[in-house]
Amino acid sequence: MAERITVESLTKVYPGGSTALSDVSLDVDPGTFLVLLGPSGSGKTTLLRSLAGIEKITSGRIALGGRTVADGKVHLPPDKRDASMVFQDFALWPHLRVRDNVAFALRRRHVARAQGRQRADEMLARVGLGHLGDRYPNELSGGEQQRVALARALIGDTGLVLCDEPLSNLDADLRERMRVEISSLVRQADATAVYITHDQSEAFALADVIGVLERGNLVQFGTPEDVYTAPA
């Protein structure tokens, strides 16, 4: 079930006084594909990690599916937020076969091992890798590893998928193909997605809504058409 994301006056100040996010507010409907766009240092990664529970916020509030997960006092850890994450470096277990990497996401849901492996095979087939379940990550290409990471994120049927520049390590041709795959698979899974990038063409290709960040401020929030035709 896709999650609604509500962020109210979110501020994150790191020890030493560096402000990564300043009074950021946004409201994202369930099932929306949100892309956070901005240069390095704009705060997009900090916002994503705050949604995931990896970063503790300084002040403000984050609610997922109507449930407050952070408000400066409350901090729900990542494993209690029912979110999946796709990392820039794929973050696959090198000692596990592809099938077991994908099934690993079901362990905390206490799915029986045999059932988990069966579901992993089904998810691998959906991302076009059904024939590679017995291989190890180092036997796959970069694009194949990325699809394994995506399969692992989607198999848990979480309401929120968080993507940390997942295509930045791929070559240009593969990046374009993977954009289409990520977009269609996330939408088929009926999940809300938050995807960060500094690539404008990637943002416009993927997003239902774009949030433009600059120096820790959300300077624009709207459809790709709005951002393109009337940039803030």
Side-chain angles (χ1 to χ4, degrees), residues 103-160:
F104 191 86
L106 296 173
R107 284 194 186 180
R108 67 189 176 97
R109 294 176 177 267
H110 308 296
V111 174
R113 184 179 175 85
Q115 185 187 357
R117 287 166 68 89
Q118 180 186 345
R119 283 178 59 181
D121 282 335
E122 291 167 359
M123 182 56 72
L124 283 168
R126 279 181 62 190
V127 299
L129 298 178
H131 58 300
L132 299 179
D134 287 321
R135 292 197 185 177
Y136 288 95
N138 67 349
E139 298 174 314
L140 304 181
S141 68
E144 288 166 344
Q145 288 185 52
Q146 185 58 78
R147 278 188 272 173
V148 173
L150 185 61
R152 183 182 58 190
L154 294 176
I155 196 171
D157 287 330
T158 62
L160 179 60

Side-chain angles (χ1 to χ4, degrees), residues 5 13 19 27 37 43 45 69 71 121-123 126 135 152 172 183 215 226:
I5 302 171
V13 181
T19 300
D27 190 40
L37 176 65
T45 299
V69 297
D71 67 2
D121 282 335
E122 291 167 359
M123 182 56 72
R126 279 181 62 190
R135 292 197 185 177
R152 183 182 58 190
S183 174
R215 295 178 186 168
D226 292 340

Side-chain angles (χ1 to χ4, degrees), residues 15-228:
S18 171
T19 300
L21 292 169
S22 180
D23 199 29
V24 171
S25 296
L26 51 85
D27 190 40
V28 183
D29 290 333
T32 298
F33 201 116
L34 166 65
V35 175
L36 299 175
L37 176 65
S40 296
S42 61
K44 58 188 187 298
T45 299
T46 301
L47 179 51
L48 190 84
R49 289 166 63 89
S50 298
L51 291 171
I54 298 168
E55 295 284 357
K56 286 190 175 182
I57 67 174
T58 305
S59 62
R61 174 176 173 264
I62 299 173
L64 302 177
R67 177 179 61 150
T68 298
V69 297
D71 67 2
K73 300 174 195 160
V74 173
H75 176 80
L76 218 60
D79 61 318
K80 304 291 186 190
R81 296 199 182 194
D82 199 32
S84 301
M85 196 152 178
V86 184
F87 295 93
Q88 190 173 19
D89 61 358
F90 315 144
L92 301 176
W93 299 103
H95 64 292
L96 294 180
R97 296 182 192 274
V98 164
R99 177 186 299 106
D100 295 320
N101 261 285
V102 176
F104 191 86
L106 296 173
R107 284 194 186 180
R108 67 189 176 97
R109 294 176 177 267
H110 308 296
V111 174
R113 184 179 175 85
Q115 185 187 357
R117 287 166 68 89
Q118 180 186 345
R119 283 178 59 181
D121 282 335
E122 291 167 359
M123 182 56 72
L124 283 168
R126 279 181 62 190
V127 299
L129 298 178
H131 58 300
L132 299 179
D134 287 321
R135 292 197 185 177
Y136 288 95
N138 67 349
E139 298 174 314
L140 304 181
S141 68
E144 288 166 344
Q145 288 185 52
Q146 185 58 78
R147 278 188 272 173
V148 173
L150 185 61
R152 183 182 58 190
L154 294 176
I155 196 171
D157 287 330
T158 62
L160 179 60
V161 178
L162 306 171
C163 300
D164 181 8
E165 298 204 59
L167 306 183
S168 61
N169 290 333
L170 305 179
D171 63 55
D173 181 50
L174 187 54
R175 219 165 37 231
E176 288 211 18
R177 294 209 311 270
M178 284 302 301
R179 267 181 215 159
V180 176
E181 291 189 26
I182 286 179
S183 174
S184 61
L185 284 165
V186 169
R187 286 178 167 89
Q188 284 171 25
D190 189 31
T192 305
V194 182
Y195 184 106
I196 66 174
T197 185
H198 58 269
D199 183 325
Q200 289 184 36
S201 60
E202 195 162 282
F204 288 121
L206 286 168
D208 298 318
V209 179
I210 294 176
V212 183
L213 286 151
E214 184 178 9
R215 295 178 186 168
N217 296 292
L218 184 67
V219 295
Q220 190 162 10
F221 186 75
T223 65
E225 291 81 5
D226 292 340
V227 173
Y228 184 79

